Structures are given as C-alpha cells and as structure tokens.
Amino acid sequence: MTKRVSSPRKRGAMSARKPLASRPSGNEGTRKARVGLALAGGGPLGAIYELGALLALSESLEGLDLNDLDVYVGVSAGGFISAGLANGLTPERMRHMFIESDTAEEPFAPELLLKPAFREYAMRALSVPPLLLASIWNYLANPWGQGFFESFQRLSRAIPTGIFNISGIDRFLDRTYAAQGRSNDFRKLKRKLFLVATDLDSGESVVFGSPGWDHVPISTAVQASAALPGMFPPVEIDGRHYVDGALKKTLHASVALKEGASLVLCVNPLVPFDSELAVKRGAGRHKLVDGGLPVVLAQTFRSIIHSRMQVGLSKYKTDYRNADVVLFEPNSDDAEMFFTNMFSYASRRRLCEHAYQKTRTELYRRRHELGPILARHGIRIRIEVLKEKRSLAHHDVDGHAEKGDTLLATGHRLGDALDELERWTARHGKATDTTA
C-alpha cells in the first residue's frame, strides 16, 4: 500500500530529535517528560499479552494513568496498543474492542490479519513471463559460462514478499481514530507517540512521530511497524518500503529516554523458553526439537530478540543513569505463552487473562524491589488490590471490578493468608519477600 504526502521527508531525523522538555506537546505547551511506556512486538499474541499486562498495571499502580503518560513508544504489535493508548483508548476499552468484540464502536475482526495478499500475488505472477524469458535467453546465450540454476535464479523475484494483506489494519485504525477526541495525526495528539519501523533498503530504524516523520498517518505507521517480513508485504511510504521495527531492536525504549522520560515502563511478551525448568514444574516438553521446525524457529527468534533487548537494557543503565527502566515479561518456563502460536487469535480471552494474572503476581513478588523505584516517580503499588482475587471476567467496559460478596470474601481470605505468611517469615528471620 502506498501513502503519498506533501510534507518533505527528512533523512536522519532520529538524531535530530530534541528532548520533550524543549518542544511543545500538543496544545499543552512545553512540558518535561516524566513517564514513558515502551511496548515490544510479538504478533496478535504479543498484543493480547500486553493488554492483559497493562490492565493489571492500570488497576494496581496508584498515580499511573496509562492514557496520560508523557511518551508512548510502540514496535510492531506494541505499536497497535501504544497508538490506542495515546489516542485515549483505555486498556479495558481495547480489551472489549479487540478481544470481547462487544463495544458499540466498530469491533476488531481478526480476519483483517488473515486476508491473502492477492494484489501482491498478482503483481508477482505478472512478472513471471518476462523473468522466465530473460532466464532462458541468458542461459542459451552463454550455456557454458553459467549453470542452469544460476541462469534461472532471477525467477526468485517472482516469489511474493508476504502471505497476508496488512492494509486492512490501516483502514480499521483510520476509522477508529476518526471518532471525536481522537486523531490519526501524530501532531494533533496531546501526548508524544513514536512508532518504529525499519527501512528495508537501508536497514535503518525510522521513528514515525519524530520531526520529519510525523506527517505520516498514525494508522499507516502502525501498519509499517507491524509488517513482519514473509508474513506481510513491506509498506510503501513516500516511495520507500518499511518492515517490522523489531528487526533492529526489540523495545526501542531509548526513544522515550531520549525524550526525557525519567521512568519507562516496558512490556515484552516474547522470551526464550526454558524447557528444563518447565519440566521440573510439571509443564512443557523436555526436548524442543520434538516440536518440529515451528518450535525450533520460535525458540531461535525469541532468543535472538531477547538477547538484543538485554544488551539494550544494560546500555540504558550506563547512558541514562538518572532514569529508571522497569520491564515486565513472561517467565522463561511459561509453556502457555511459548506453545501458543504467536499469530493465534482464537485463545485471546485465555491469554489476556493469563497475562493479567501473571503481571499481578509479578507485581506482588517484586513489590519490595519495585516499590521504592516507582515511589520516586509518585507511583504506589496498591498491595491491597493485589491481595484481592480478581479476574477480567468481572471487569466492565470502564475497567471497574464487579466483585460479588463471595469473590470479595475470597479476596479478603487471600489477603489475610498473605499477611500471615509475611509475619511468619519475619519471625523466622527471613526476607519479607516470600518469593525472593
């Protein structure tokens, strides 16, 4: 899909960005960035996991409004969610739109991601006759200079660059952002939004939303950032082609840090799987090779991107010593997250609930570590909420927990048990964090 706009394209715009403190943010004038959010990719599964994690963070962190942050950064599927948050869509609203499909607004249809790229197929098919003739001529003209397969290698150009058509995402988001109070224009948002894609011809990361790149519609930038090579064709914008932003980095949290964010919350849904640890805990397979090529490729892909992310996080500690970066991701023995196809949409409710519960557990487990960090930025972990037994099934579209008497009583009993466990460990001279 080609998007042509009149604004000039600026190469090297990433290095030209200024901190948020020195330039206006929407209609609010100059404002120093404080809290940012960086969401990684991971296909539909990754977006669903991120929604579940954000729902847990939203209700469990006092002083944090996920629709009122200073900087939003999204890569691939994470761009889909980041753009929604920056446009005023709450995590709960997006859950009902994209997972429950029960809102008055246009519900998200997963078929948007599964429509064959017929136009791409047709274009490649039309290229076969001239490529074949050229190959035959090349071989006959010099049969001894080149081998048969070498002469016909040019036919590989007729292979489609993607299986599915992702342009439906652009149209769906364009309609969604047309609602009152929303915008498909980076420059009209009240908060800064950055969506990262990769320039196919140069291999450079491009940050849509930054100066020189903010004229591109948000919906198109989401489409470009999520164009996973092989799965979706590259997206053409201003005569150049863009693919998934995760090709260079996983999170791109540095974009938010460069904008002056002193706290960046990160969610990464894809981690390499530790099968031995999973087996010890009664889940998973001992030998991943038994799962065949898809499992081997999944483990390879996750290992590569996770390793790059860890390198980036280490650099942040050195380059941004006055900033805090907090990461939330699945455990390495999470068999449910690993063995579910990352492009699956059928298990969306179960996976969203899984991410929600896992993040709540993680917040409670790390409360002594994260409490002081978050407190420096005016955010408090609501331990009383984490001690309650909650489920997304009891949330309405506005995010309110609908707890009946039985559920509330169960939550109180769970809280009492946790308090008693803390007192027991304290008496025995152990750390108060029961899962250290």
Side-chain angles (χ1 to χ4, degrees):
M1 181 175 181
T2 304
K3 289 289 179 179
R4 303 196 180 281
V5 290
S6 58
S7 299
R9 219 178 139 271
K10 298 180 182 178
R11 301 289 293 174
M14 288 181 63
S15 59
R17 288 197 315 274
K18 297 179 180 179
L20 188 59
S22 61
R23 57 192 178 95
S25 173
N27 298 324
E28 297 185 351
T30 301
R31 180 175 182 227
K32 181 176 175 57
R34 187 175 66 86
V35 181
L37 178 70
L39 300 179
L45 171 62
I48 290 167
Y49 184 92
E50 288 169 345
L51 269 182
L54 292 173
L55 285 161
L57 296 177
S58 179
E59 72 174 17
S60 304
L61 298 181
E62 184 180 300
L64 178 73
D65 183 348
L66 289 174
N67 292 111
D68 192 27
L69 304 182
D70 298 278
V71 189
Y72 297 88
V73 181
V75 182
S76 192
F80 195 94
I81 305 301
S82 295
L85 293 171
N87 247 306
L89 292 170
T90 66
E92 191 63 47
R93 192 75 179 176
M94 284 191 280
R95 182 177 77 89
H96 281 269
M97 286 178 66
F98 305 139
I99 297 177
E100 300 297 335
S101 299
D102 61 358
T103 60
E105 300 176 59
E106 183 178 11
F108 176 74
E111 293 78 17
L112 287 175
L113 299 173
L114 300 176
K115 290 183 178 179
F118 290 121
R119 184 172 182 272
E120 174 72 7
Y121 299 163
M123 290 177 59
R124 298 293 168 173
L126 290 174
S127 71
V128 171
L131 287 173
L132 181 59
L133 288 174
S135 297
I136 294 173
W137 175 259
N138 186 63
Y139 178 71
L140 295 176
N142 188 16
W144 308 111
Q146 298 187 65
F148 179 83
F149 290 105
E150 185 178 1
S151 297
F152 284 83
Q153 186 178 7
R154 70 184 64 198
L155 284 172
S156 62
R157 302 176 192 173
I159 300 175
T161 57
I163 301 173
F164 300 110
N165 181 6
I166 199 175
S167 62
I169 292 293
D170 188 348
R171 293 191 294 271
F172 169 79
L173 293 180
D174 187 27
R175 290 192 299 268
T176 302
Y177 299 155
Q180 186 175 4
R182 302 173 193 164
S183 176
N184 201 22
D185 190 330
F186 285 100
R187 297 162 295 190
K188 294 182 180 179
L189 294 178
K190 294 181 180 179
R191 299 290 178 264
K192 299 307 297 183
L193 169 66
F194 301 101
L195 302 172
V196 186
T198 303
D199 187 315
L200 182 62
D201 293 310
S202 68
E204 296 178 358
S205 292
V206 172
V207 183
F208 294 108
S210 61
W213 302 97
D214 52 3
H215 63 284
V216 177
I218 295 172
S219 58
T220 305
V222 171
Q223 179 191 356
S225 180
L228 183 65
M231 188 64 72
F232 304 109
V235 177
E236 186 178 354
I237 302 173
D238 293 350
R240 298 188 69 87
H241 293 86
Y242 300 91
V243 293
D244 199 303
L247 266 63
K248 291 281 286 186
K249 290 182 182 180
T250 305
L251 276 170
H252 289 274
S254 59
V255 175
L257 293 168
K258 288 176 182 177
E259 287 293 318
S262 56
L263 170 67
V264 181
L265 301 176
C266 306
V267 182
N268 170 50
L270 299 182
V271 299
F273 184 62
D274 188 336
S275 62
E276 294 183 353
L277 179 59
V279 168
K280 289 179 182 178
R281 298 188 178 182
R285 305 168 182 169
H286 185 61
K287 297 294 184 182
L288 291 182
V289 71
D290 295 338
L293 181 61
V295 171
V296 172
L297 291 178
Q299 179 75 326
T300 302
F301 175 71
R302 291 167 185 248
S303 298
I304 291 173
I305 63 173
H306 198 262
S307 175
R308 289 187 319 195
M309 184 189 69
Q310 290 179 319
V311 171
L313 292 175
S314 298
K315 282 194 64 178
Y316 300 156
K317 293 179 181 178
T318 303
D319 297 343
Y320 303 95
R321 296 184 179 181
N322 296 324
D324 294 309
V325 178
V326 178
L327 173 67
F328 295 93
E329 59 183 8
N331 295 328
S332 60
D333 63 337
D334 194 330
E336 185 165 4
M337 279 298 297
F338 183 78
F339 288 106
T340 299
N341 188 311
M342 68 182 292
F343 289 95
S344 170
Y345 199 72
S347 305
R348 56 193 183 276
R349 291 185 182 88
R350 174 175 54 81
L351 289 172
C352 191
E353 181 73 34
H354 177 77
Y356 170 76
Q357 298 297 350
K358 193 273 172 188
T359 305
R360 281 170 50 84
T361 301
E362 187 76 359
L363 274 171
Y364 188 83
R365 185 184 70 82
R366 298 172 61 190
R367 64 195 184 282
H368 299 299
E369 168 204 346
L370 297 179
I373 296 175
L374 296 174
R376 288 200 291 267
H377 307 277
I379 299 173
R380 180 183 75 87
I381 300 178
R382 301 174 66 193
I383 302 297
E384 68 279 6
V385 171
L386 295 176
K387 287 181 177 180
E388 293 178 358
K389 183 176 177 62
R390 293 195 175 195
S391 170
L392 292 179
H394 297 87
H395 281 204
D396 61 22
V397 73
D398 295 318
H400 300 132
E402 300 171 340
K403 301 185 296 294
D405 294 339
T406 303
L407 181 60
L408 187 57
T410 303
H412 288 323
R413 288 197 297 272
L414 177 62
D416 293 340
L418 290 171
D419 288 338
E420 180 60 30
L421 184 58
E422 284 196 70
R423 288 192 291 270
W424 185 90
T425 55
R427 287 198 301 270
H428 287 74
K430 296 181 180 180
T432 54
D433 189 344
T434 60
T435 57

